[in-house]
Amino acid sequence: GRRHLTTQLVYNLSRGGPMDTTFVDVLGGWRAQVAIAAGFAVVWAVTLETVSRFVARSWLPRRAWWRVAVRPQMQLMHRFGWPRRPTRRFPEGVSEAMARDAFAYVMTICAQHGLSALAMLPLWSSGWDASSLLERRAFALGTLSVVGFDAYDSIALTVRTFCSRFAIRRLLGDGVGPAPASFWVLMVVLHHTTSLVVVVPMNLRYLDHAAYHRTAVALLGAAAACYGAGAVKFALDVSANRGALLRCKGIVVFQLLVVAYARVYLWFPAVAALLAAFRAREDWVFARLGLCVAIALSAFNLVLLAESVGAAAKWLPMRYNSADPRITVMGVATQAAALRNLGDHKKTDAGCPGSPPDEEVDSPPARLRVAG
């Protein structure tokens, strides 16, 4: 029956030759690794939820640069499925408080992925044959850290996407808003599911494969670097001077190069090498499972590449125009005027300004123009 098929799958994923015994010695068998991943899920849920709420509700409202960053953060949310105008599911549309929560959420991903990548670096730099048991354990723990985060985030995003607003408040706390279905598909189906399905089996069967080390470090490091750089980009008031616009362009180019290198140049050859290794060992369970995971994560990588290309196409042709000092690229005036504009809208929690009209969020730049 179904229980027998599940047992057989687990057995197929964890069995193997003498090298598999070496892999099991690193952190134990699949039960031990699932337990470690579950422990990470609890740790990340408590730690990151606490930090995220502090950042969103206490730290960000006191930062002057947030008055500039709120507009591009709202635009990013619109591109990933949040509505531009109020709906039944989102009666406030995208409020300023929701933008703060989303910004803090991205920062927690940046921190978690960065720490996990740091744990994997020693094995990646040494190589399997020259690595110590400590380096191998650090790499495996880094991968399980990602599994734990993805498990916790999958549960939270599922609740935010499919449960009522009342259930969201009861399960996740006050102030947590819903998420759109398109964002759930992108994050849970195309991204989180891949690590939840393959990391523990990979640790038990192919922990020594260089392509596994390379892709894990590259993808996590790229995510941390790009998300962190994106936060800095959002905080730049490009109407202030030409230097701010040049820094913004530099960040856009940096993000595009990192995404193209990690998620295209490294990813596709590495996943092809892993699939070839599965077939060479006649590991047909892994070959089929790996192909499904490769397709899903490749789609996710191409979505991020398209977002980076779109940002470059938008920003790189821009030229600074000092003739009109009033409006920035996001439709927000310079720092003092941004504060004044935000203050005109209704107040939300903690006395912070509410969501601006949609026309103001998407208004075109007056001080920046497209060269041509």
PDB file of all heavy atoms in Angstrom, residues 255-283:
ATOM      1  N   GLN A 255      23.636  43.334  -8.837  1.00  0.00           N
ATOM      2  CA  GLN A 255      22.604  42.314  -8.678  1.00  0.00           C
ATOM      3  C   GLN A 255      22.439  41.481  -9.947  1.00  0.00           C
ATOM      4  O   GLN A 255      22.316  40.251  -9.876  1.00  0.00           O
ATOM      5  CB  GLN A 255      21.277  42.979  -8.306  1.00  0.00           C
ATOM      6  CG  GLN A 255      21.251  43.565  -6.907  1.00  0.00           C
ATOM      7  CD  GLN A 255      19.943  44.269  -6.610  1.00  0.00           C
ATOM      8  OE1 GLN A 255      19.513  45.143  -7.362  1.00  0.00           O
ATOM      9  NE2 GLN A 255      19.301  43.896  -5.524  1.00  0.00           N
ATOM     10  N   LEU A 256      22.449  42.136 -11.096  1.00  0.00           N
ATOM     11  CA  LEU A 256      22.294  41.403 -12.349  1.00  0.00           C
ATOM     12  C   LEU A 256      23.450  40.438 -12.574  1.00  0.00           C
ATOM     13  O   LEU A 256      23.240  39.279 -12.959  1.00  0.00           O
ATOM     14  CB  LEU A 256      22.197  42.393 -13.514  1.00  0.00           C
ATOM     15  CG  LEU A 256      22.107  41.778 -14.918  1.00  0.00           C
ATOM     16  CD1 LEU A 256      20.890  40.880 -15.046  1.00  0.00           C
ATOM     17  CD2 LEU A 256      22.074  42.870 -15.984  1.00  0.00           C
ATOM     18  N   LEU A 257      24.672  40.877 -12.305  1.00  0.00           N
ATOM     19  CA  LEU A 257      25.832  40.009 -12.507  1.00  0.00           C
ATOM     20  C   LEU A 257      25.812  38.826 -11.547  1.00  0.00           C
ATOM     21  O   LEU A 257      26.121  37.685 -11.930  1.00  0.00           O
ATOM     22  CB  LEU A 257      27.121  40.816 -12.326  1.00  0.00           C
ATOM     23  CG  LEU A 257      27.408  41.871 -13.403  1.00  0.00           C
ATOM     24  CD1 LEU A 257      28.677  42.640 -13.062  1.00  0.00           C
ATOM     25  CD2 LEU A 257      27.533  41.227 -14.785  1.00  0.00           C
ATOM     26  N   VAL A 258      25.457  39.076 -10.275  1.00  0.00           N
ATOM     27  CA  VAL A 258      25.420  37.994  -9.293  1.00  0.00           C
ATOM     28  C   VAL A 258      24.354  36.973  -9.660  1.00  0.00           C
ATOM     29  O   VAL A 258      24.591  35.754  -9.619  1.00  0.00           O
ATOM     30  CB  VAL A 258      25.175  38.562  -7.882  1.00  0.00           C
ATOM     31  CG1 VAL A 258      24.871  37.437  -6.894  1.00  0.00           C
ATOM     32  CG2 VAL A 258      26.383  39.349  -7.409  1.00  0.00           C
ATOM     33  N   VAL A 259      23.159  37.442 -10.021  1.00  0.00           N
ATOM     34  CA  VAL A 259      22.082  36.533 -10.395  1.00  0.00           C
ATOM     35  C   VAL A 259      22.454  35.735 -11.640  1.00  0.00           C
ATOM     36  O   VAL A 259      22.258  34.509 -11.703  1.00  0.00           O
ATOM     37  CB  VAL A 259      20.770  37.320 -10.606  1.00  0.00           C
ATOM     38  CG1 VAL A 259      19.709  36.436 -11.262  1.00  0.00           C
ATOM     39  CG2 VAL A 259      20.257  37.864  -9.287  1.00  0.00           C
ATOM     40  N   ALA A 260      22.993  36.412 -12.645  1.00  0.00           N
ATOM     41  CA  ALA A 260      23.366  35.712 -13.877  1.00  0.00           C
ATOM     42  C   ALA A 260      24.461  34.676 -13.623  1.00  0.00           C
ATOM     43  O   ALA A 260      24.413  33.567 -14.177  1.00  0.00           O
ATOM     44  CB  ALA A 260      23.822  36.718 -14.926  1.00  0.00           C
ATOM     45  N   TYR A 261      25.421  35.023 -12.772  1.00  0.00           N
ATOM     46  CA  TYR A 261      26.526  34.097 -12.498  1.00  0.00           C
ATOM     47  C   TYR A 261      26.056  32.889 -11.690  1.00  0.00           C
ATOM     48  O   TYR A 261      26.320  31.738 -12.060  1.00  0.00           O
ATOM     49  CB  TYR A 261      27.631  34.829 -11.747  1.00  0.00           C
ATOM     50  CG  TYR A 261      28.811  33.951 -11.376  1.00  0.00           C
ATOM     51  CD1 TYR A 261      29.732  33.554 -12.348  1.00  0.00           C
ATOM     52  CD2 TYR A 261      28.999  33.513 -10.069  1.00  0.00           C
ATOM     53  CE1 TYR A 261      30.801  32.738 -12.021  1.00  0.00           C
ATOM     54  CE2 TYR A 261      30.072  32.710  -9.729  1.00  0.00           C
ATOM     55  CZ  TYR A 261      30.970  32.320 -10.706  1.00  0.00           C
ATOM     56  OH  TYR A 261      32.022  31.508 -10.368  1.00  0.00           O
ATOM     57  N   ALA A 262      25.348  33.146 -10.566  1.00  0.00           N
ATOM     58  CA  ALA A 262      24.987  32.052  -9.666  1.00  0.00           C
ATOM     59  C   ALA A 262      23.806  31.240 -10.178  1.00  0.00           C
ATOM     60  O   ALA A 262      23.799  30.008 -10.089  1.00  0.00           O
ATOM     61  CB  ALA A 262      24.671  32.610  -8.277  1.00  0.00           C
ATOM     62  N   ARG A 263      22.791  31.916 -10.711  1.00  0.00           N
ATOM     63  CA  ARG A 263      21.537  31.246 -11.039  1.00  0.00           C
ATOM     64  C   ARG A 263      21.436  30.804 -12.491  1.00  0.00           C
ATOM     65  O   ARG A 263      20.457  30.146 -12.861  1.00  0.00           O
ATOM     66  CB  ARG A 263      20.351  32.146 -10.667  1.00  0.00           C
ATOM     67  CG  ARG A 263      20.322  32.472  -9.184  1.00  0.00           C
ATOM     68  CD  ARG A 263      19.062  33.192  -8.767  1.00  0.00           C
ATOM     69  NE  ARG A 263      19.069  33.485  -7.342  1.00  0.00           N
ATOM     70  CZ  ARG A 263      18.688  32.635  -6.393  1.00  0.00           C
ATOM     71  NH1 ARG A 263      18.283  31.421  -6.718  1.00  0.00           N
ATOM     72  NH2 ARG A 263      18.713  32.991  -5.113  1.00  0.00           N
ATOM     73  N   VAL A 264      22.424  31.161 -13.309  1.00  0.00           N
ATOM     74  CA  VAL A 264      22.441  30.699 -14.698  1.00  0.00           C
ATOM     75  C   VAL A 264      23.777  30.026 -15.019  1.00  0.00           C
ATOM     76  O   VAL A 264      23.828  28.836 -15.320  1.00  0.00           O
ATOM     77  CB  VAL A 264      22.180  31.859 -15.681  1.00  0.00           C
ATOM     78  CG1 VAL A 264      22.262  31.358 -17.134  1.00  0.00           C
ATOM     79  CG2 VAL A 264      20.815  32.485 -15.421  1.00  0.00           C
ATOM     80  N   TYR A 265      24.885  30.778 -14.932  1.00  0.00           N
ATOM     81  CA  TYR A 265      26.196  30.270 -15.337  1.00  0.00           C
ATOM     82  C   TYR A 265      26.638  29.078 -14.475  1.00  0.00           C
ATOM     83  O   TYR A 265      27.166  28.085 -15.003  1.00  0.00           O
ATOM     84  CB  TYR A 265      27.227  31.395 -15.243  1.00  0.00           C
ATOM     85  CG  TYR A 265      28.627  30.989 -15.631  1.00  0.00           C
ATOM     86  CD1 TYR A 265      28.984  30.851 -16.973  1.00  0.00           C
ATOM     87  CD2 TYR A 265      29.594  30.736 -14.659  1.00  0.00           C
ATOM     88  CE1 TYR A 265      30.265  30.466 -17.328  1.00  0.00           C
ATOM     89  CE2 TYR A 265      30.871  30.353 -15.004  1.00  0.00           C
ATOM     90  CZ  TYR A 265      31.206  30.217 -16.339  1.00  0.00           C
ATOM     91  OH  TYR A 265      32.475  29.835 -16.679  1.00  0.00           O
ATOM     92  N   LEU A 266      26.444  29.148 -13.162  1.00  0.00           N
ATOM     93  CA  LEU A 266      26.812  28.030 -12.295  1.00  0.00           C
ATOM     94  C   LEU A 266      25.713  26.983 -12.199  1.00  0.00           C
ATOM     95  O   LEU A 266      25.988  25.782 -12.195  1.00  0.00           O
ATOM     96  CB  LEU A 266      27.149  28.541 -10.892  1.00  0.00           C
ATOM     97  CG  LEU A 266      28.485  29.240 -10.693  1.00  0.00           C
ATOM     98  CD1 LEU A 266      28.663  29.617  -9.220  1.00  0.00           C
ATOM     99  CD2 LEU A 266      29.642  28.362 -11.133  1.00  0.00           C
ATOM    100  N   TRP A 267      24.481  27.434 -12.115  1.00  0.00           N
ATOM    101  CA  TRP A 267      23.385  26.519 -11.821  1.00  0.00           C
ATOM    102  C   TRP A 267      23.170  25.475 -12.904  1.00  0.00           C
ATOM    103  O   TRP A 267      23.131  24.269 -12.613  1.00  0.00           O
ATOM    104  CB  TRP A 267      22.093  27.307 -11.588  1.00  0.00           C
ATOM    105  CG  TRP A 267      20.862  26.453 -11.645  1.00  0.00           C
ATOM    106  CD1 TRP A 267      19.935  26.399 -12.641  1.00  0.00           C
ATOM    107  CD2 TRP A 267      20.444  25.477 -10.666  1.00  0.00           C
ATOM    108  NE1 TRP A 267      18.957  25.488 -12.361  1.00  0.00           N
ATOM    109  CE2 TRP A 267      19.251  24.894 -11.158  1.00  0.00           C
ATOM    110  CE3 TRP A 267      20.968  25.045  -9.453  1.00  0.00           C
ATOM    111  CZ2 TRP A 267      18.561  23.914 -10.451  1.00  0.00           C
ATOM    112  CZ3 TRP A 267      20.277  24.057  -8.749  1.00  0.00           C
ATOM    113  CH2 TRP A 267      19.097  23.509  -9.246  1.00  0.00           C
ATOM    114  N   PHE A 268      23.035  25.873 -14.147  1.00  0.00           N
ATOM    115  CA  PHE A 268      22.645  24.918 -15.177  1.00  0.00           C
ATOM    116  C   PHE A 268      23.719  23.858 -15.441  1.00  0.00           C
ATOM    117  O   PHE A 268      23.396  22.661 -15.541  1.00  0.00           O
ATOM    118  CB  PHE A 268      22.245  25.662 -16.458  1.00  0.00           C
ATOM    119  CG  PHE A 268      20.885  26.301 -16.350  1.00  0.00           C
ATOM    120  CD1 PHE A 268      20.753  27.651 -16.071  1.00  0.00           C
ATOM    121  CD2 PHE A 268      19.740  25.544 -16.498  1.00  0.00           C
ATOM    122  CE1 PHE A 268      19.502  28.240 -15.952  1.00  0.00           C
ATOM    123  CE2 PHE A 268      18.476  26.116 -16.388  1.00  0.00           C
ATOM    124  CZ  PHE A 268      18.359  27.472 -16.111  1.00  0.00           C
ATOM    125  N   PRO A 269      25.016  24.203 -15.548  1.00  0.00           N
ATOM    126  CA  PRO A 269      26.011  23.126 -15.671  1.00  0.00           C
ATOM    127  C   PRO A 269      26.071  22.224 -14.440  1.00  0.00           C
ATOM    128  O   PRO A 269      26.269  21.008 -14.562  1.00  0.00           O
ATOM    129  CB  PRO A 269      27.328  23.895 -15.863  1.00  0.00           C
ATOM    130  CG  PRO A 269      26.927  25.226 -16.393  1.00  0.00           C
ATOM    131  CD  PRO A 269      25.632  25.537 -15.732  1.00  0.00           C
ATOM    132  N   ALA A 270      25.908  22.809 -13.249  1.00  0.00           N
ATOM    133  CA  ALA A 270      25.990  22.007 -12.027  1.00  0.00           C
ATOM    134  C   ALA A 270      24.827  21.021 -11.938  1.00  0.00           C
ATOM    135  O   ALA A 270      25.016  19.843 -11.589  1.00  0.00           O
ATOM    136  CB  ALA A 270      26.012  22.920 -10.806  1.00  0.00           C
ATOM    137  N   VAL A 271      23.621  21.483 -12.245  1.00  0.00           N
ATOM    138  CA  VAL A 271      22.479  20.570 -12.158  1.00  0.00           C
ATOM    139  C   VAL A 271      22.573  19.503 -13.240  1.00  0.00           C
ATOM    140  O   VAL A 271      22.177  18.340 -13.028  1.00  0.00           O
ATOM    141  CB  VAL A 271      21.155  21.361 -12.241  1.00  0.00           C
ATOM    142  CG1 VAL A 271      20.838  21.820 -13.657  1.00  0.00           C
ATOM    143  CG2 VAL A 271      20.003  20.527 -11.694  1.00  0.00           C
ATOM    144  N   ALA A 272      23.147  19.839 -14.400  1.00  0.00           N
ATOM    145  CA  ALA A 272      23.358  18.832 -15.442  1.00  0.00           C
ATOM    146  C   ALA A 272      24.366  17.782 -14.973  1.00  0.00           C
ATOM    147  O   ALA A 272      24.190  16.577 -15.230  1.00  0.00           O
ATOM    148  CB  ALA A 272      23.834  19.499 -16.725  1.00  0.00           C
ATOM    149  N   ALA A 273      25.420  18.223 -14.264  1.00  0.00           N
ATOM    150  CA  ALA A 273      26.414  17.281 -13.743  1.00  0.00           C
ATOM    151  C   ALA A 273      25.808  16.354 -12.699  1.00  0.00           C
ATOM    152  O   ALA A 273      26.111  15.150 -12.659  1.00  0.00           O
ATOM    153  CB  ALA A 273      27.596  18.049 -13.160  1.00  0.00           C
ATOM    154  N   LEU A 274      24.950  16.886 -11.847  1.00  0.00           N
ATOM    155  CA  LEU A 274      24.312  16.050 -10.826  1.00  0.00           C
ATOM    156  C   LEU A 274      23.364  15.035 -11.460  1.00  0.00           C
ATOM    157  O   LEU A 274      23.354  13.861 -11.071  1.00  0.00           O
ATOM    158  CB  LEU A 274      23.554  16.937  -9.833  1.00  0.00           C
ATOM    159  CG  LEU A 274      24.421  17.710  -8.841  1.00  0.00           C
ATOM    160  CD1 LEU A 274      23.585  18.718  -8.056  1.00  0.00           C
ATOM    161  CD2 LEU A 274      25.111  16.754  -7.866  1.00  0.00           C
ATOM    162  N   LEU A 275      22.577  15.458 -12.429  1.00  0.00           N
ATOM    163  CA  LEU A 275      21.677  14.518 -13.093  1.00  0.00           C
ATOM    164  C   LEU A 275      22.461  13.427 -13.820  1.00  0.00           C
ATOM    165  O   LEU A 275      22.052  12.255 -13.831  1.00  0.00           O
ATOM    166  CB  LEU A 275      20.781  15.277 -14.078  1.00  0.00           C
ATOM    167  CG  LEU A 275      19.745  16.218 -13.457  1.00  0.00           C
ATOM    168  CD1 LEU A 275      19.012  17.005 -14.542  1.00  0.00           C
ATOM    169  CD2 LEU A 275      18.751  15.451 -12.596  1.00  0.00           C
ATOM    170  N   ALA A 276      23.608  13.795 -14.409  1.00  0.00           N
ATOM    171  CA  ALA A 276      24.455  12.788 -15.057  1.00  0.00           C
ATOM    172  C   ALA A 276      25.015  11.810 -14.030  1.00  0.00           C
ATOM    173  O   ALA A 276      25.121  10.607 -14.308  1.00  0.00           O
ATOM    174  CB  ALA A 276      25.588  13.481 -15.810  1.00  0.00           C
ATOM    175  N   ALA A 277      25.367  12.313 -12.838  1.00  0.00           N
ATOM    176  CA  ALA A 277      25.872  11.433 -11.780  1.00  0.00           C
ATOM    177  C   ALA A 277      24.794  10.462 -11.317  1.00  0.00           C
ATOM    178  O   ALA A 277      25.075   9.287 -11.057  1.00  0.00           O
ATOM    179  CB  ALA A 277      26.377  12.267 -10.607  1.00  0.00           C
ATOM    180  N   PHE A 278      23.565  10.914 -11.222  1.00  0.00           N
ATOM    181  CA  PHE A 278      22.472  10.021 -10.833  1.00  0.00           C
ATOM    182  C   PHE A 278      22.301   8.903 -11.862  1.00  0.00           C
ATOM    183  O   PHE A 278      22.151   7.728 -11.500  1.00  0.00           O
ATOM    184  CB  PHE A 278      21.158  10.796 -10.713  1.00  0.00           C
ATOM    185  CG  PHE A 278      21.195  11.935  -9.720  1.00  0.00           C
ATOM    186  CD1 PHE A 278      20.303  12.995  -9.840  1.00  0.00           C
ATOM    187  CD2 PHE A 278      22.109  11.956  -8.683  1.00  0.00           C
ATOM    188  CE1 PHE A 278      20.326  14.047  -8.948  1.00  0.00           C
ATOM    189  CE2 PHE A 278      22.146  13.009  -7.775  1.00  0.00           C
ATOM    190  CZ  PHE A 278      21.244  14.057  -7.912  1.00  0.00           C
ATOM    191  N   ARG A 279      22.348   9.278 -13.145  1.00  0.00           N
ATOM    192  CA  ARG A 279      22.169   8.269 -14.191  1.00  0.00           C
ATOM    193  C   ARG A 279      23.357   7.307 -14.248  1.00  0.00           C
ATOM    194  O   ARG A 279      23.180   6.111 -14.489  1.00  0.00           O
ATOM    195  CB  ARG A 279      21.970   8.951 -15.543  1.00  0.00           C
ATOM    196  CG  ARG A 279      20.657   9.719 -15.670  1.00  0.00           C
ATOM    197  CD  ARG A 279      20.381  10.110 -17.113  1.00  0.00           C
ATOM    198  NE  ARG A 279      21.416  11.003 -17.631  1.00  0.00           N
ATOM    199  CZ  ARG A 279      21.366  12.328 -17.552  1.00  0.00           C
ATOM    200  NH1 ARG A 279      20.329  12.919 -16.966  1.00  0.00           N
ATOM    201  NH2 ARG A 279      22.335  13.078 -18.051  1.00  0.00           N
ATOM    202  N   ALA A 280      24.568   7.840 -14.008  1.00  0.00           N
ATOM    203  CA  ALA A 280      25.751   6.979 -14.065  1.00  0.00           C
ATOM    204  C   ALA A 280      25.707   5.902 -12.988  1.00  0.00           C
ATOM    205  O   ALA A 280      26.169   4.775 -13.209  1.00  0.00           O
ATOM    206  CB  ALA A 280      27.007   7.828 -13.913  1.00  0.00           C
ATOM    207  N   ARG A 281      25.136   6.227 -11.838  1.00  0.00           N
ATOM    208  CA  ARG A 281      25.003   5.245 -10.759  1.00  0.00           C
ATOM    209  C   ARG A 281      23.714   4.458 -10.863  1.00  0.00           C
ATOM    210  O   ARG A 281      23.411   3.645  -9.986  1.00  0.00           O
ATOM    211  CB  ARG A 281      25.069   5.952  -9.403  1.00  0.00           C
ATOM    212  CG  ARG A 281      26.443   6.493  -9.058  1.00  0.00           C
ATOM    213  CD  ARG A 281      26.472   7.131  -7.677  1.00  0.00           C
ATOM    214  NE  ARG A 281      26.107   6.208  -6.613  1.00  0.00           N
ATOM    215  CZ  ARG A 281      26.181   6.503  -5.309  1.00  0.00           C
ATOM    216  NH1 ARG A 281      26.594   7.704  -4.929  1.00  0.00           N
ATOM    217  NH2 ARG A 281      25.827   5.628  -4.395  1.00  0.00           N
ATOM    218  N   GLU A 282      22.963   4.690 -11.948  1.00  0.00           N
ATOM    219  CA  GLU A 282      21.659   4.048 -12.138  1.00  0.00           C
ATOM    220  C   GLU A 282      20.750   4.273 -10.941  1.00  0.00           C
ATOM    221  O   GLU A 282      19.993   3.394 -10.511  1.00  0.00           O
ATOM    222  CB  GLU A 282      21.828   2.556 -12.434  1.00  0.00           C
ATOM    223  CG  GLU A 282      22.598   2.287 -13.721  1.00  0.00           C
ATOM    224  CD  GLU A 282      22.669   0.811 -14.044  1.00  0.00           C
ATOM    225  OE1 GLU A 282      22.248  -0.008 -13.191  1.00  0.00           O
ATOM    226  OE2 GLU A 282      23.132   0.492 -15.145  1.00  0.00           O
ATOM    227  N   ASP A 283      20.833   5.471 -10.415  1.00  0.00           N
ATOM    228  CA  ASP A 283      20.016   5.871  -9.273  1.00  0.00           C
ATOM    229  C   ASP A 283      18.756   6.537  -9.824  1.00  0.00           C
ATOM    230  O   ASP A 283      18.618   7.756  -9.848  1.00  0.00           O
ATOM    231  CB  ASP A 283      20.809   6.853  -8.389  1.00  0.00           C
ATOM    232  CG  ASP A 283      20.222   6.973  -7.005  1.00  0.00           C
ATOM    233  OD1 ASP A 283      19.051   6.591  -6.832  1.00  0.00           O
ATOM    234  OD2 ASP A 283      20.925   7.452  -6.103  1.00  0.00           O
TER     235      ASP A 283
END
